[in-house]
Amino acid sequence: MTTHIIGCGGVATYFLPPFLRTLRYGTKLRLRNIRVVLHDGDTVEDRNLQRQNFQSEHLDSNKAEALARMFPWYDNLGTVTRYIDGSFGVADGDTIIIAADNHLARRHAL
């Protein structure tokens, strides 16, 4: 079972910490085996630091990779460092969380 998070900007940077803690400690709910994959092709820029939960050490890094590095304790965290497109697909039972800020990414995810 995989949860795909599309877009790793403002919404995802604040959503991911409590979400991963829930998955990590949710052993009674059988949540521990859920793989989370972060999808984003964008890089962290100086202007992102004002409203997104990144630090200056993340500048010029891919957003998905920078966000994943913030959670080394979560073993089932993967990244896709490109924008999603028409080839984006998921398996039955997977979950998609759309945190993208543009219509094209939302359309591809849907």
Side-chain angles (χ1 to χ4, degrees):
M1 208 154 94
T2 302
T3 297
H4 299 270
I5 298 179
I6 312 300
C8 295
V11 172
T13 60
Y14 289 97
F15 167 77
L16 198 60
F19 181 65
L20 291 180
R21 281 193 299 274
T22 300
L23 296 180
R24 183 178 185 192
Y25 297 111
T27 55
K28 290 183 181 177
L29 302 174
R30 300 175 200 256
L31 297 176
R32 216 167 236 232
N33 296 326
I34 293 179
R35 178 161 173 71
V36 176
V37 179
L38 308 173
H39 298 258
D40 203 315
D42 200 5
T43 58
V44 179
E45 300 172 30
D46 190 49
R47 64 189 177 99
N48 299 135
L49 301 180
Q50 296 173 0
R51 66 187 187 287
Q52 299 176 7
N53 199 15
F54 291 112
Q55 305 299 320
S56 58
E57 69 225 27
H58 299 124
L59 287 172
D60 300 321
S61 297
N62 172 273
K63 286 184 178 180
E65 288 179 337
L67 191 54
R69 282 195 307 269
M70 296 165 91
F71 307 99
W73 48 263
Y74 194 81
D75 296 331
N76 289 328
L77 188 59
T79 61
V80 175
T81 59
R82 62 181 179 84
Y83 294 108
I84 64 168
D85 56 23
S87 67
F88 175 71
V90 296
D92 285 344
D94 285 358
T95 301
I96 303 172
I97 297 172
I98 304 171
D101 62 356
N102 66 78
H103 296 300
L104 185 59
R106 286 189 278 253
R107 184 178 320 136
H108 287 311
L110 293 172

